[in-house]
């Protein structure tokens, strides 16, 4: 039976070597928060890197001794006997640069000035993140990953790994992701960003010094995002047209159950997430487009990829639809890479990749069992 | 395991016999990936399967076989022309809806196509119809009301379709109960395997 990795603790890695960002800026030094589960084998060949999505972080599985209810965001997938089996693999989760969970980001203190980076933090791209992740791997002595796994924006990082460091990753598990965002997706992100950018408490990104937080903007951004991560059917099934008080009140307070849910989600998120991080993450999503350098030919962008791929999509995911995953599959087929593709029937929209589903978990488990055999061999 | 696969599916042995070492193969309706696994282990074939069923996708992945989840009736748009040495369709033709379009897709994507199917002209099938019933047999193990088979044909019918589509038949292997049938194949054969290509 599957279990939990139990009590875990986060670690901090410091880097003194300057990092050059795609935007042209340079960070002379930076820190990354990470957690590990399982044991690195003597050959250091059983490491798996988990790349997080927009609002994720390094706390992937288990709980903290002082926060027993703070369960990792992918605890259903990662643990002993679970699809990403910590009995076989050494699993690493990290918080990306620009994040707000302890890694260097807009809300952390710039050692040069003693103040939060705020608007001075570099705009980050998926390429920048992967470069920083590779340095973390170097520090941990991991030359090659058995697998790099990510959903959504995390899947983009996993793909980028196989493009930027083809010899350093044996398997990519790209879940609910896309080779670049659609126009509609960029549009949604821009509305979310505008909610933050136009909040009077934003102060051009340097709100920390003013002792305020652009909560209203961040809350709206999250509410919008949340709608798009679900599906029409899932929302209808969960809330329908249900009214909290059972009757119309003819006002603007919360009436429909879905309003209550969305506002609650928005408030919860705005209470802990950093507005600048949200802006940076959505821009990283918008910018990712490896085929931009190959005349929009994804197959050519994948020409040097050596990794085997598992590509997974979800039927009701309209932000990262199955068709987008098929573009990835097609580019890999062109390059004669080993690739399997599963389209999971699920009603939970984009969020499906975080949910427990029998077929999804069977596919992940079966694939990773073969990966584990490769490690053992 | 290999021996049992070949025993349980005599058409697999006939198909494998046509596939040279190191070929590239696309197996349409690949089931749990047994044939591809067999071909990989015995002939170092580089291959992919196409399947629609969730259970078979999970089984292929467990078998270490590349598999793409797709509905064959939606065509082979993910696959480029002439990208495989062989495109195989084993015991699936009769269950495809857009059979004609799929035949064209097979000879587009593969330099050669290989298809196996149950022969509806087999004498036992004819006998059951003469007795007033739709045939039910080991090869056609369904009642008329629950069968997935929508496009059954005889050897003659299949050859007519190939002719109509400009497809040249290169080889044919007709079997019954695991043995070869050479005399009166359209009457005495229960399973047929064809190898073919697009007319140049």
């Amino acid at each position: 039976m599957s279990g939990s990795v139990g009590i875990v603790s986060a670690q901090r890695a410091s880097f003194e070597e300057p990092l050059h960002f795609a935007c042209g800026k340079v960070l002379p030094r930076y820190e990354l928060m990470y957690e590990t589960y399982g044991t690195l084998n003597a050959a250091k060949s059983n490491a798996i890197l988990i790349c997080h999505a927009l609002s994720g972080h390094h706390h992937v599985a288990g709980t903290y001794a002082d926060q027993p209810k703070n369960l990792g965001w992918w605890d259903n997938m990662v643990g002993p006997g679970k699809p990403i089996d910590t009995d076989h693999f050494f699993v690493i989760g990290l918080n990306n640069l620009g994040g707000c969970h302890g890694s260097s980001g807009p809300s952390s203190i710039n050692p040069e000035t003693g103040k939060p980076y705020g608007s001075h933090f570099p705009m980050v791209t998926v390429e920048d993140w992967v470069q920083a992740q590779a340095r973390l791997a170097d520090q941990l002595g991991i030359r090659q990953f058995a697998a790099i796994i990510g959903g959504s924006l995390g899947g983009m990082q996993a793909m980028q790994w196989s493009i930027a460091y083809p010899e350093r990753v044996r398997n990519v598990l790209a879940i609910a992701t896309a080779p670049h965002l659609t126009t509609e997706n960029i549009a949604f992100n821009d509305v979310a960003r505008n909610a933050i950018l136009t909040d009077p408490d934003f102060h051009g990104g340097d709100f920390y010094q003013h002792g305020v937080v652009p909560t209203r903007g961040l809350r709206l951004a999250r509410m919008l995002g949340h709608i798009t991560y679900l599906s029409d059917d899932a929302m209808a099934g969960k809330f329908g047209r249900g009214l909290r008080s059972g009757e119309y009140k003819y006002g603007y307070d919360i009436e429909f159950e879905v309003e209550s849910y969305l506002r609650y989600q928005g408030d919860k998120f705005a209470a802990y997430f950093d507005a600048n991080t949200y802006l940076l993450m959505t821009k990283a999503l918008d910018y990712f487009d490896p085929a931009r350098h190959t005349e929009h030919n994804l197959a050519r962008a994948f020409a040097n990829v050596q990794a085997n791929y598992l590509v997974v999509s979800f039927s009701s995911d309209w932000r990262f639809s199955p068709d987008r995953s098929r573009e990835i599959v097609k580019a890999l087929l062109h390059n004669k890479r080993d690739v399997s593709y599963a389209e999971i029937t699920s009603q939970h929209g984009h969020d499906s990749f975080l949910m427990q589903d029998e077929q999804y978990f069977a596919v992940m488990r079966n694939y990773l069992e073969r990966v584990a055999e490769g490690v053992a061999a | 395991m290999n021996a049992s696969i070949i025993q349980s599916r005599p058409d697999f042995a006939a198909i494998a016999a046509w596939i040279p070492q190191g070929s590239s193969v696309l197996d349409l309706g690949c089931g749990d990936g047994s044939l591809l696994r067999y071909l990989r282990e015995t002939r170092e074939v580089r291959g992919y399967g196409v399947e629609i069923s969730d259970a078979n996708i999970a089984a292929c992945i467990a078998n270490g076989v590349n598999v793409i989840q797709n509905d064959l009736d939606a065509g082979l748009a993910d696959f480029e022309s002439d990208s495989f040495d062989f495109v195989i369709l084993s015991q699936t033709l009769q269950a495809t809806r857009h059979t004609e379009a799929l035949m064209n897709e097979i000879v587009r994507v593969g330099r050669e196509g290989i298809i196996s199917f149950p022969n509806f002209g087999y004498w036992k099938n004819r006998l059951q119809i003469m007795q007033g019933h739709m045939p039910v047999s080991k090869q056609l193990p369904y009642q008329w009301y629950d069968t997935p088979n929508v496009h059954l044909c005889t050897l003659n019918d299949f050859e007519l379709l190939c002719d109509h589509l400009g497809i040249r038949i290169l080889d044919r292997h007709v079997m019954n109960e695991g043995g070869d049938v050479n005399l009166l194949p359209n009457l005495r054969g229960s399973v047929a395997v064809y190898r073919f290509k697009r007319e140049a």
Side-chain angles (χ1 to χ4, degrees):
Chain A
M1 259 321 284
S2 57
S4 167
V5 297
I7 291 172
V8 300
S9 54
Q11 299 174 73
R12 184 186 301 274
S14 298
F15 301 85
E16 297 295 330
E17 189 188 347
L19 191 77
H20 295 259
F21 289 75
C23 65
K25 286 193 181 176
V26 179
L27 270 189
R29 60 185 64 83
Y30 56 96
E31 295 179 325
L32 292 175
M33 294 298 287
Y34 69 100
E35 289 179 12
T36 70
Y37 324 104
T39 311
L40 187 62
N41 65 13
K44 298 186 174 179
S45 62
N46 68 332
I48 286 182
L49 180 67
I50 309 277
C51 303
H52 69 76
L54 199 148
S55 60
H57 43 71
H58 53 282
H59 185 40
V60 177
T63 58
Y64 295 133
D66 58 346
Q67 299 170 42
K69 286 187 176 164
N70 186 352
L71 195 63
W73 59 266
W74 219 7
D75 192 79
N76 60 13
M77 185 67 85
V78 179
K82 288 175 177 170
I84 303 174
D85 192 342
T86 51
D87 286 339
H88 297 294
F89 295 112
F90 177 67
V91 179
I92 303 166
L94 89 163
N95 184 213
N96 277 322
L97 280 175
C100 53
H101 291 86
S103 293
S104 297
S107 57
S108 60
I109 300 296
N110 180 350
E112 318 294 319
T113 64
K115 289 190 221 160
Y117 285 97
S119 62
H120 298 288
F121 198 85
M123 196 76 96
V124 288
T125 63
V126 168
E127 289 87 339
D128 299 329
W129 281 334
V130 166
Q131 195 190 344
Q133 290 164 7
R135 290 189 187 173
L136 177 64
D138 291 341
Q139 223 176 70
L140 297 172
I142 295 156
R143 180 76 209 116
Q144 186 187 57
F145 283 99
I148 299 184
I149 306 176
S152 190
L153 178 56
M156 291 175 169
Q157 295 157 53
M159 282 189 275
Q160 177 60 27
W161 261 96
S162 72
I163 294 169
Y165 303 102
E167 72 293 346
R168 295 194 71 174
V169 49
R170 291 199 297 280
N171 293 276
V172 167
L173 285 74
I175 305 160
T177 191
H180 58 79
L181 285 197
T182 60
T183 318
E184 188 184 52
N185 264 329
I186 295 172
F188 277 124
N189 282 346
D190 192 46
V191 175
R193 282 192 295 268
N194 265 286
I196 295 169
L197 294 169
T198 58
D199 186 320
D201 287 337
F202 183 62
H203 295 287
D206 295 315
F207 50 88
Y208 314 98
Q209 286 95 309
H210 294 80
V212 292
V213 174
T215 311
R216 285 165 291 182
L218 186 55
R219 184 169 169 271
L220 279 177
R222 183 57 170 181
M223 286 167 75
L224 172 70
H226 207 88
I227 296 167
T228 69
Y229 303 144
L230 301 175
S231 71
D232 195 13
D233 285 349
M235 284 178 100
K238 203 165 173 182
F239 309 107
R241 291 182 51 84
L243 294 162
R244 286 188 89 192
S245 66
E247 56 189 30
Y248 288 3
K249 296 283 192 190
Y250 301 101
Y252 296 114
D253 286 336
I254 293 172
E255 288 196 84
F256 291 93
E257 290 291 354
V258 68
E259 295 175 313
S260 166
Y261 172 78
L262 273 180
R263 291 185 197 192
Y264 170 75
Q265 290 294 334
D267 287 338
K268 196 173 78 168
F269 188 73
Y272 76 88
F273 208 80
D274 178 69
N276 281 313
T277 292
Y278 200 89
L279 293 175
L280 289 180
M281 298 277 167
T282 58
K283 285 301 275 188
L285 271 164
D286 291 1
Y287 286 139
F288 182 70
D289 183 8
R292 195 167 67 99
H293 311 292
T294 54
E295 291 160 330
H296 304 288
N297 181 327
L298 188 64
R300 270 175 51 207
F302 279 176
N304 295 323
V305 168
Q306 295 174 25
N308 306 324
Y309 263 70
L310 174 66
V311 180
V312 179
S313 72
F314 298 90
S315 58
S316 58
D317 184 351
W318 54 279
R319 279 203 72 168
F320 294 79
S321 73
D323 281 348
R324 312 306 320 286
S325 283
R326 307 191 80 91
E327 291 175 32
I328 299 167
V329 171
K330 207 171 165 175
L332 291 163
L333 284 170
H334 177 87
N335 287 301
K336 304 187 190 309
R337 302 318 315 164
D338 279 339
V339 53
S340 282
Y341 169 65
E343 187 176 318
I344 311 296
T345 304
S346 164
Q347 63 145 355
H348 299 293
H350 186 51
D351 272 353
S352 298
F353 85 89
L354 295 167
M355 311 257 182
Q356 196 136 5
D357 174 278
E358 196 181 332
Q359 174 68 9
Y360 173 34
F361 275 48
V363 163
M364 294 289 286
R365 179 185 298 278
N366 292 356
Y367 190 87
L368 287 164
E369 278 175 5
R370 296 288 81 75
V371 174
E373 281 173 10
V375 168
Chain B
M1 175 180 173
N2 292 344
S4 69
I5 285 169
I6 294 304
Q7 261 166 12
S8 66
R9 287 287 301 272
D11 59 320
F12 280 3
I15 292 168
W18 282 333
I19 296 187
Q21 198 82 8
S23 304
S24 60
V25 168
L26 181 65
D27 185 4
L28 307 177
C30 65
D32 65 2
S34 294
L35 176 62
L36 280 170
R37 185 175 171 171
Y38 173 76
L39 291 173
R40 188 186 64 207
E41 286 170 0
T42 59
R43 287 183 167 65
E44 291 170 27
V45 154
R46 190 182 66 76
Y48 301 84
V50 177
E51 250 298 329
I52 190 164
S53 120
D54 282 348
N56 280 331
I57 293 291
C60 283
I61 291 171
N63 268 322
V65 164
N66 294 319
V67 65
I68 311 294
Q69 191 157 21
N70 193 13
D71 181 357
L72 290 182
D73 279 322
L76 302 177
D78 293 342
F79 300 97
E80 296 168 6
S81 298
D82 292 319
S83 54
F84 289 91
D85 294 326
F86 296 95
V87 176
I88 299 173
L89 185 70
S90 63
Q91 300 287 10
T92 304
L93 180 76
Q94 69 277 7
T96 60
R97 190 163 294 274
H98 306 295
T99 310
E100 199 176 342
L102 185 60
M103 287 291 289
N104 283 324
E105 282 286 84
I106 288 171
V107 290
R108 175 184 68 82
V109 172
R111 282 178 274 279
E112 291 187 11
I114 296 178
I115 287 185
S116 71
F117 60 90
N119 174 23
F120 204 70
Y122 179 49
W123 70 269
K124 283 188 182 172
N125 296 339
R126 300 189 196 196
L127 186 64
Q128 286 188 57
I129 287 177
M130 275 166 56
Q131 288 167 337
H133 293 284
M134 285 297 284
V136 179
S137 66
K138 197 168 92 182
Q139 303 299 338
L140 300 168
Y142 301 100
Q143 296 294 336
W144 66 272
Y145 49 83
D146 64 9
T147 181
N149 297 332
V150 291
H151 284 136
L152 290 156
C153 68
T154 69
L155 307 197
N156 293 353
D157 292 331
F158 181 77
E159 290 172 20
L160 277 172
L161 176 65
C162 288
D163 191 50
H164 167 66
L165 295 176
I167 288 171
R168 184 153 56 93
I169 292 167
L170 303 170
D171 214 339
R172 183 182 79 178
H173 196 131
V174 185
M175 291 168 287
N176 185 35
E177 303 289 338
D180 294 351
V181 175
N182 296 314
L183 183 69
L184 297 175
N186 199 35
L187 188 65
R188 296 178 60 240
S190 56
V191 179
V193 193
Y194 282 86
R195 189 163 66 87
F196 54 87
K197 65 189 289 187
R198 192 174 55 231
E199 287 286 9

